[in-house]
Amino acid sequence: MNPVISGLKALWRIFARLFKRPVTIEYPDQPLPVSSRWRGRIVLSRDPDGEERCVACYLCSVACPVDCIALQATEDAHGRRYPDWFRINFSRCIFCGYCEEACPTYAIQLVQDFEMSEYRRTSLVYEKDDLLISGTGKYPDYNFYRVAGVAIGGKDKGDAEREQPPVDVRSLLP
Amino acid sequence: MNELVLIVLLLGSLFTISALLIWVERRLLGHWQERYGPNRVGPGGILQSAADAIKLLAKEDWTPPFADKPVFVLAPAVVVSAVLLSFAVVPFTPSLIVADLNIGLLFVFALSSLSAYSIVLAGWASNSKYALIGGLRGSAQMFSYEVFMGLSVMGVVMLAGSFRLRDIVEAQQDLWFCIPQMIGAGIFFIAALAETHRLPFDIPEAEAELVAGYHTEYSGMKFGMFFLGEYLGIVLMSSLTVILFLGGWQGPWLPPLVWFWLKTFMVIMVFFLIRATLPRPRFDQLITFGWTVLLPASLLNLLVTAIIILTNGHDAL
């Protein structure tokens, strides 16, 4: 008798599901919830002053396990380094986030967008124009040159936040 | 002339109902598995079956070169025509019936045995190992479960004193036969599941083992015929359950036709619910269950019913 009773119980349990909401998220119609740390499309952000954060140090390019990041460093009139061109091949990218971890200036960031299907493979190669956003991304207040000790035009050594003026080591000589 | 109109109407509505049933089943299964099921084509997905039919018609109608061609083509036609012919004796209302045969029940059983042929022939003509095994299983299953099916309704026939389906319904004026014939109803329902080879008795077409069983080699509309035959079979078995055990068209307030389809749809829902719940048994378990449990139970039911009728007369139950 036991299997009959358990069978009837199972029948009732399945029937009762008729009055439950399905767990399905009808994705293209409803937005898909993604976590705040979701690793999606890669962007290049700007600092609060609206200047490019990227200093073209090549660390992201080196850290990339699939070699999908390529760039060329150059320098502007103020001695500020920036990438001449910056290219990410998203058909290779595995969205591991190592570039974001390697970046010393919070310039390269992975955002929540993942809807980047294309009909042609070459459309997945993003140039600097496609990557550079106008905002600051995840770190609204961070400005690399304001906290770094490196000198650029308009900001000398010792001018950065929480930085002492440089010590003239020669004054200590006997 | 009147009958011809009825036949055409019946044919049209049966095809529509079985097409809709496919959609209803998929939606219900979806909700029972906490998902939506097909809800894209038309309002709520109601045109899903139409889209499927168009797809099947547009597909290549391929006959394998190794198949036995005439039998291969004949088999799917047999199953649909056998089931459709059975509907000729089904009394939807006291007047809505194509042929009021005095051997109605026997006629239905004869035709459901005939539909076993389509499985055997399809399995044999396909000339493929999965189809052959499916056909063999199907024949063994249908032959053994037809025995209990026939025996389980004999109690009803004894109580009603007639093989005519209309008389059986009219005999349930005071009490539906599912009360005095409780065991018979249970056995009939199990046998009906096996007869339409629905889950958990879909052993002839067990996807996990036999690809698709006896219709492995079929494609296009020939496969569609098997599919249609299966759903027509569900409608037939549900209406038989309603006629034999649940009082047919009888019920208060609503018109007879509405009552009939309401009850039939309830039984069909139970068919779907069982499919959603129970797993498939092994083949030897199925046959052992049939011959060692259902056969003695149906014989005992028959015997007890006969004894009570003989000692107390017809009106005792």
Side-chain angles (χ1 to χ4, degrees), chain B residues 168-187:
Chain B
I168 291 175
V169 176
E170 273 160 6
Q172 299 176 64
Q173 196 83 53
D174 307 319
L175 183 65
W176 292 357
F177 284 156
C178 62
I179 309 288
Q181 285 292 312
M182 216 181 291
I183 301 169
I187 295 169

Side-chain angles (χ1 to χ4, degrees), chain B residues 238-317:
Chain B
S238 309
S239 19
L240 273 185
T241 312
V242 169
I243 288 163
L244 295 172
F245 296 104
L246 299 177
W249 64 74
Q250 290 175 357
W253 308 306
L254 295 171
L257 194 64
V258 174
W259 266 115
F260 182 86
W261 282 115
L262 209 64
K263 289 176 188 173
T264 307
F265 186 72
M266 285 303 191
V267 179
I268 291 171
M269 278 255 296
V270 178
F271 263 81
F272 293 161
L273 184 60
I274 286 174
R275 179 195 170 161
T277 310
L278 298 177
R280 183 190 303 130
R282 226 166 45 220
F283 187 60
D284 59 309
Q285 288 171 336
L286 174 84
I287 298 293
T288 313
F289 177 69
W291 289 106
T292 58
V293 178
L294 293 187
L295 181 66
S298 56
L299 283 175
L300 208 67
N301 176 46
L302 198 61
L303 199 68
V304 172
T305 312
I307 288 170
I308 291 174
I309 288 175
L310 278 179
T311 48
N312 297 349
H314 247 292
D315 303 324
L317 286 169

Side-chain angles (χ1 to χ4, degrees), chain A residues 13-33:
Chain A
R13 202 171 284 176
I14 299 283
F15 180 75
R17 288 227 191 123
L18 200 59
F19 308 105
K20 247 175 132 178
R21 266 196 89 70
V23 294
T24 313
I25 299 162
E26 293 186 281
Y27 160 58
D29 301 338
Q30 292 173 4
L32 199 65

